[in-house]
């Protein structure tokens, strides 16, 4: 039987310098160099396409429709943290609204990821604080069921550990393991450089066909050895 408390106050966060560097990359770039994995399902989307988020995960697990532990997590959160909340994908009521999001912004958090619903969406978009959720519902939550804070959780089909790197943009959210994050930055920069060169060539009237296409078609058995498109 575990002796770990359900409410864990301290955990090791991904380094702030790594967060700053990772925030310069699109979520898609990081997902690609991380092995095309670690992304949340597309149900978890920003309230506005212009929203961007990057920071260490402060994880919260709640019972569907109850936000007691979110309040508890906000009480111990540090500036720069991203609240990542496993609300079980429930859409029957909102877990957060204008008041709680305003509090998160005042604390200095980097953003909120909710595998659940929110409300006051017009106000939240005006606030401009990054909020990602599966939907909206005007119904409010209860505040009386215990959950867990800073335990491993599953959000939108992806495992999230406290302190993991979270990066989100208009395409969605990617989760990078804290221990792995620094090692991916060089690969991400190279991928951006390669894609920029490819786009420049396309827009400048260069070759439209990828240079790797025929070799990959041969490997897949679509083209015979020596055969060309």
């Amino acid at each position: 039987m575990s002796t770990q408390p359900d409410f864990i106050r301290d955990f090791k966060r991904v380094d702030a310098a790594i967060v700053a560097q990772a925030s310069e990359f699109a979520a898609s770039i990081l997902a690609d160099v991380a092995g095309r994995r670690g992304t949340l399902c597309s149900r978890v989307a920003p309230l506005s396409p212009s929203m961007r988020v990057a920071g260490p995960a402060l994880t919260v697990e709640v019972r569907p429709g109850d936000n007691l532990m979110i309040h508890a997590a906000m009480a111990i959160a540090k500036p720069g943290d991203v609240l990542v909340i496993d609300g079980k994908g429930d859409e029957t009521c909102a877990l957060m609204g204008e008041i709680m999001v305003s509090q998160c912004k005042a604390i200095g958090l980097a953003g909120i990821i909710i595998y659940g619903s929110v409300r006051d969406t017009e106000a939240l978009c005006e606030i401009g604080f990054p909020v990602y959720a599966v939907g909206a519902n005007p119904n409010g939550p209860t505040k009386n069921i215990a959950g867990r804070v800073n335990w491993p959780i599953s959000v939108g089909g992806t495992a999230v550990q406290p302190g993991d790197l979270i990066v989100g943009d208009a395409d969605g959210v990617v989760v990078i393991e804290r221990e792995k994050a620094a090692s991916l930055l060089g690969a991400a920069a190279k991928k951006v450089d390669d894609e920029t060169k490819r786009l420049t060539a396309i827009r400048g009237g260069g070759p439209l066909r990828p240079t790797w296409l025929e070799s990959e078609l041969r490997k897949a058995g679509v083209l015979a050895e020596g055969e060309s498109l």
Side-chain angles (χ1 to χ4, degrees):
M1 184 175 179
S2 175
T3 58
Q4 280 271 71
D6 286 337
F7 186 68
I8 299 174
R9 291 170 173 79
D10 298 313
F11 60 96
K12 190 167 184 179
R13 294 165 168 84
V14 62
D15 188 82
I18 295 172
V19 172
Q21 293 177 67
S23 69
E24 299 295 320
F25 299 111
S28 59
I29 293 290
L30 292 170
D32 280 357
V33 299
R36 291 173 172 81
R37 59 177 296 279
T39 56
L40 307 192
C41 69
S42 59
R43 290 178 65 205
V44 183
L47 297 189
S48 168
S50 63
M51 291 179 174
R52 301 288 186 273
V53 63
L58 193 165
T59 62
V60 188
E61 181 183 3
V62 302
R63 289 286 296 275
D66 192 281
N67 73 357
L68 177 65
M69 299 310 288
I70 301 176
H71 285 278
M74 289 163 59
I76 64 166
K78 295 183 178 180
D81 285 346
V82 179
L83 283 186
V84 184
I85 302 159
D86 175 15
K88 313 304 179 186
D90 179 64
E91 298 180 64
T92 62
C93 74
L95 290 177
M96 300 182 77
E98 182 180 7
I99 293 175
M100 293 178 72
V101 171
S102 295
Q103 181 182 339
C104 287
K105 183 176 182 180
I107 293 169
L109 301 190
I112 300 166
I113 313 294
I114 303 181
Y115 192 40
S117 298
V118 296
R119 65 180 180 182
D120 308 325
T121 54
E122 287 188 40
L124 299 190
C125 288
E126 288 179 6
I127 291 170
F129 186 78
V131 177
Y132 289 65
V134 302
N137 193 309
N139 192 33
T142 59
K143 295 175 173 60
N144 52 25
I145 303 174
R148 298 202 294 189
V149 172
N150 289 322
W151 277 70
I153 59 174
S154 177
V155 178
T158 294
V160 186
Q161 299 274 351
D164 281 351
L165 172 64
I166 304 294
V167 175
D169 55 25
D171 289 338
V173 179
V174 61
V175 181
I176 307 293
E177 295 93 334
R178 176 179 58 80
E179 301 86 352
K180 189 177 181 180
S183 68
L184 298 181
L185 297 176
K190 183 180 184 304
K191 185 168 180 61
V192 169
D193 185 58
D194 290 345
E195 291 192 356
T196 299
K197 290 177 181 177
R198 175 76 177 125
L199 287 169
T200 299
I202 291 172
R203 292 164 181 165
L208 298 182
R209 184 184 299 173
T211 56
W212 49 261
L213 180 58
E214 289 190 351
S215 64
E216 292 303 315
L217 288 172
R218 292 189 187 96
K219 290 179 185 177
V222 177
L223 294 179
E225 194 63 37
E227 183 182 4
S228 299
L229 287 173

